[in-house]
């Protein structure tokens, strides 16, 4: 695919942008919301003052706004990985394995429990999206099966209550279907994100992608996701103890 002259970001650069914005997002979610705010509620406002809590929530809104950029980029990188991997089975297995490994850190970071099943981490969303893409590629000449695969994947994400659930799977499929058409990819991607408008900012770096791999960071995200959640939990415990 011919790249535009202004394309200047490699795949590894996009991955770093996504991880940094995800970290910023999770500082707000894990420490401010599930830390200070819950502590404020549970202690009837005796831990911090109302003015302090207001400032904390204002900071949280900024962090979460910035963090909305990460998920669409990860979805885009998933599609790129799916298209270019030499072994789709190993790729899918890695996603599933780290989805399982990340569930404990995810639960203690956001669900205040251990192996709590009211919601599942985003790696499950990416894994389900991967399975849908595999069905669509294999049965590309059978639109009814493709549609059934999409509906099944979206339904599974919804029932499992994965992070971003069926909406995340839909975005992955949009990025796959319009992978060679920037304008349509951006348009329909943003439409699918109307429920979370700040996430549309992600299409700025996505459209600056130059098609090159960049640095070899194959396993960085897989380990970064659960490890950074554990670290944030540790920081939260230290700050509130």
């Amino acid at each position: 695919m011919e790249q535009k002259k202004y394309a200047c970001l490699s795949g590894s650069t996009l991955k770093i942008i996504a991880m940094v914005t995800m970290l910023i997002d999770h500082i707000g979610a894990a420490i401010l919301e599930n830390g200070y705010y819950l502590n404020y509620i549970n202690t009837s406002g005796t831990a911090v003052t109302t003015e302090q809590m207001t400032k904390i929530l204002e900071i949280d809104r900024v962090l979460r706004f910035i963090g909305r950029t990460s998920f669409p980029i990860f979805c885009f990188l998933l599609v790129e990985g799916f298209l270019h991997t030499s072994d789709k089975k190993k790729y899918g297995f890695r996603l599933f394995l780290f989805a399982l490994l990340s569930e404990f850190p995810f639960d203690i970071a956001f669900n205040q429990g251990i192996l709590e099943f009211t919601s599942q981490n985003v790696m499950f969303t990416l894994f389900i999206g991967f399975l849908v893409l595999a069905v669509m590629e294999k049965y590309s000449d059978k639109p009814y099966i493709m549609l059934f695969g999409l509906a099944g994947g979206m339904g599974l994400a919804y029932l499992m209550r994965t992070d971003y659930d069926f909406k995340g799977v839909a975005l992955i499929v949009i990025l796959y279907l319009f992978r060679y058409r920037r304008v349509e990819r951006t348009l329909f991607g943003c439409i699918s994100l109307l429920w979370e408008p700040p996430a549309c900012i992600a299409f700025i770096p996505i459209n600056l992608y130059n098609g090159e791999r960049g640095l070899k960071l194959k396993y960085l995200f897989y380990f970064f996701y659960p490890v950074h959640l554990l670290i944030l939990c540790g920081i939260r415990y230290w700050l509130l103890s």
Side-chain angles (χ1 to χ4, degrees):
M1 181 178 66
E2 183 181 357
Q3 300 298 321
K4 300 293 185 180
K5 292 182 179 180
Y6 55 76
C8 58
L9 301 181
S10 66
S12 62
T13 303
L14 286 179
K15 187 173 294 186
I16 292 172
I17 291 173
M19 288 191 296
V20 170
T21 52
M22 179 178 67
L23 174 60
I24 292 171
D25 182 65
H26 289 169
I27 289 173
I31 296 179
L32 301 187
E33 292 180 16
N34 286 279
Y36 282 103
Y37 181 69
L38 281 184
N39 194 43
Y40 175 79
I41 296 298
N42 294 333
T43 58
S44 300
T46 58
V48 296
T49 66
T50 301
E51 287 186 2
Q52 290 174 326
M53 195 67 251
T54 299
K55 292 179 180 179
I56 288 172
L57 291 178
E58 288 176 354
I59 295 172
D60 176 63
R61 281 192 289 270
V62 174
L63 297 180
R64 301 305 302 276
F65 182 95
I66 296 171
R68 298 302 86 194
T69 306
S70 62
F71 181 69
I73 297 177
F74 281 126
C75 290
F76 175 77
L77 292 173
L78 172 75
V79 173
E80 285 294 301
F82 177 83
L83 293 172
H84 296 104
T85 182
S86 58
D87 192 328
K88 287 185 171 59
K89 290 184 179 179
K90 287 185 178 180
Y91 188 22
F93 177 75
R94 284 197 302 271
L95 286 168
F96 180 66
L97 175 62
F98 278 90
L100 293 176
L101 293 175
S102 299
E103 191 59 22
F104 169 73
F106 178 83
D107 285 341
I108 62 174
F110 304 123
N111 294 332
Q112 302 295 314
I114 299 175
L115 296 180
E116 205 277 336
F117 296 105
T118 56
S119 61
Q120 322 309 323
N121 71 80
V122 75
M123 294 289 286
F124 280 109
T125 309
L126 297 176
F127 174 66
I128 293 172
F130 170 86
L131 294 180
V132 173
L133 297 188
V135 171
M136 297 183 74
E137 181 183 68
K138 183 174 182 179
Y139 299 99
S140 58
D141 58 338
K142 298 179 180 179
Y144 291 107
I145 296 181
M146 293 173 63
L147 185 59
F148 178 78
L150 172 59
M154 293 175 67
L156 179 61
Y158 176 78
L159 292 174
M160 288 182 63
R161 297 183 179 180
T162 65
D163 206 5
Y164 291 93
D165 53 60
F166 69 93
K167 300 182 289 293
V169 176
L171 176 60
I172 291 169
V173 171
I174 287 172
L175 295 174
Y176 174 74
L177 293 176
F178 298 104
R179 55 193 180 276
Y180 301 130
R181 303 169 70 177
R182 292 171 184 256
V183 175
E184 291 87 342
R185 180 180 65 196
T186 303
L187 174 61
F188 289 105
C190 287
I191 289 175
S192 75
L193 291 167
L194 286 179
W195 63 280
E196 195 172 59
C200 295
I201 297 173
F203 282 94
I204 296 175
I206 286 174
N207 287 327
L208 292 176
Y209 175 56
N210 60 15
E212 298 179 5
R213 179 180 180 180
L215 300 174
K216 294 183 179 181
L217 304 175
K218 184 176 182 179
Y219 292 99
L220 182 59
F221 168 66
Y222 293 106
F223 288 102
F224 179 82
Y225 184 67
V227 170
H228 93 281
L229 291 178
L230 289 174
I231 292 174
L232 289 177
C233 288
I235 294 173
R236 181 178 67 197
Y237 176 80
W238 175 71
L239 289 172
L240 298 177
S241 62

